Amino acid sequence: GVTWTHGEIASGTISGDSYSIAEPAITVDKNNGILISVRSQKAGFYKKLLYKSTDNGATTQFYRIADELISASCASSIFYDFENDLMLHSTPSNAGAARTKYRLQYSTDNGANFIAAYRPFSDTHYVGYSQIIKLASNTYLIVFEGDEHFQLVNSSENIAILMISTSEILNHVNYS
């Protein structure tokens, strides 16, 4: 780590207005750039801010406020699948700390829009922090903290793994 360097720190100041930024998630995008999703309560009711880098993280630029990416008080995960040209964003969508109403939202335009979502669980199922990886062609694993029902945040949570296919996501779309 002696020779490690970091890139520019992403600013929470957008158009002269200061935003709180926390809990980043990162993925490589379609153009081999970087897309970063961060939680900001000030951006609107738990909206995500998206940042981009086209120089391997040396600099970051604010991209947009993603009004469609609603997030609870919880980190999300983001993953780009080059084979299927599909970007996945995993997060509970209950506005508040309950971490329920889990949604796996996806974009087919490199993160410009995440208009469609798949809800693999009931709205009361508790899903907290998550991470997405690709297991095989058209198969993803999502590991998440949670339980069947909401408990006090960060107390006695379980870890679960959801195996899901591209066709299951795309064939069970919910646009809300």
Side-chain angles (χ1 to χ4, degrees):
V2 173
T3 60
W4 292 354
T5 60
H6 68 80
E8 171 187 84
I9 305 298
S11 171
T13 302
I14 301 165
S15 301
D17 202 3
S18 181
Y19 289 78
S20 64
I21 55 176
E23 300 174 335
I26 190 170
T27 190
V28 174
D29 71 13
K30 177 182 196 167
N31 305 313
N32 288 310
I34 296 171
L35 185 66
I36 304 167
S37 170
V38 298
R39 181 173 66 85
S40 175
Q41 293 175 336
K42 186 176 180 179
F45 203 58
Y46 295 97
K47 305 291 192 240
K48 293 291 185 172
L49 300 178
L50 298 180
Y51 291 81
K52 282 192 171 194
S53 175
T54 56
D55 56 10
N56 297 319
T59 60
T60 55
Q61 303 83 35
F62 171 71
Y63 177 45
R64 69 184 185 92
I65 296 175
D67 291 327
E68 73 278 17
L69 293 177
I70 300 169
S71 175
S73 180
C74 181
S76 299
S77 60
I78 191 167
F79 177 82
Y80 181 72
D81 179 353
F82 283 90
E83 177 186 3
N84 292 303
D85 190 20
L86 190 66
M87 190 171 291
L88 303 173
H89 193 276
S90 171
T91 190
S93 65
N94 185 46
R99 297 180 181 171
T100 55
K101 297 183 181 178
Y102 175 76
R103 294 194 294 188
L104 184 60
Q105 291 175 265
Y106 68 87
S107 171
T108 56
D109 57 9
N110 205 34
N113 298 284
F114 288 87
I115 60 167
Y118 171 52
R119 293 182 176 175
F121 308 116
S122 73
D123 281 351
T124 59
H125 195 98
Y126 175 61
V127 176
Y129 288 48
S130 63
Q131 185 64 48
I132 307 166
I133 64 168
K134 187 169 182 175
L135 180 63
S137 182
N138 298 311
T139 305
Y140 310 98
L141 291 180
I142 303 171
V143 63
F144 56 89
E145 64 180 9
D147 204 334
E148 289 188 24
H149 300 287
F150 175 69
Q151 300 178 31
L152 180 65
V153 173
N154 297 328
S155 69
S156 302
E157 294 160 340
N158 295 313
I159 300 297
I161 296 176
L162 173 65
M163 182 183 292
I164 194 166
S165 69
T166 306
S167 63
E168 184 174 354
I169 296 167
L170 299 178
N171 292 325
H172 294 92
V173 174
N174 178 314
Y175 289 94
S176 59

